[in-house]
Amino acid sequence: MNSIQKTVGEWETELGQQIRAIRLRMNYDQLALADTAGISLTALKNLETGKGAAVKTLIKVLRALDRAEWLETLAPPVSISPLQMLKSKKTRQRASSPRKARNVQAG
């Protein structure tokens, strides 16, 4: 399914599954991870099952799992794309002297 078409619930479930898989690979049980992250066991269970969690809970769990770099990908620094650079005006190479106003005399 296209990521644009996913519902909020589907995103929560998928994220929870990924966090659970990482926790299991690291051989943490839920209680140990909750304790390490400084959150309640219920908060971790809600996060893993996709029942909703606070952003603070997500951040704490990602830090405890050594996955804080995930947060960096949510809002990468804005940069100019190569196509935008081609479309933009060229940088001026030199300045020109100001033009003098012409005196137009009425005849």
Side-chain angles (χ1 to χ4, degrees):
M1 175 181 283
N2 187 333
S3 60
I4 294 174
Q5 297 171 336
K6 289 182 185 178
T7 65
V8 173
E10 290 169 334
W11 276 112
E12 286 178 318
T13 301
E14 185 176 319
L15 183 61
Q17 289 170 349
Q18 289 180 20
I19 288 172
R20 181 177 188 272
I22 293 168
R23 175 180 60 79
L24 293 173
R25 275 197 308 265
M26 295 178 72
N27 202 26
Y28 270 124
D29 64 13
Q30 286 182 322
L31 190 57
L33 179 57
D35 187 48
T36 302
I39 62 171
S40 71
L41 180 59
T42 303
L44 179 60
K45 286 181 178 183
N46 286 342
L47 179 62
E48 286 190 358
T49 58
K51 292 182 181 175
V55 175
K56 283 184 179 183
T57 301
L58 175 62
I59 292 169
K60 288 178 178 184
V61 169
L62 290 176
R63 283 179 155 173
L65 293 172
D66 197 28
R67 293 295 192 278
E69 74 274 1
W70 285 14
L71 301 170
E72 306 267 336
T73 63
L74 293 175
V78 178
S79 65
I80 298 175
S81 74
L83 290 176
Q84 285 178 319
M85 289 175 69
L86 290 173
K87 291 179 183 178
S88 67
K89 294 181 181 178
K90 291 189 175 193
T91 306
R92 292 184 60 163
Q93 299 297 314
R94 58 183 160 198
S96 58
S97 58
R99 296 184 181 180
K100 295 181 181 180
R102 295 183 181 169
N103 282 337
V104 179
Q105 296 178 351

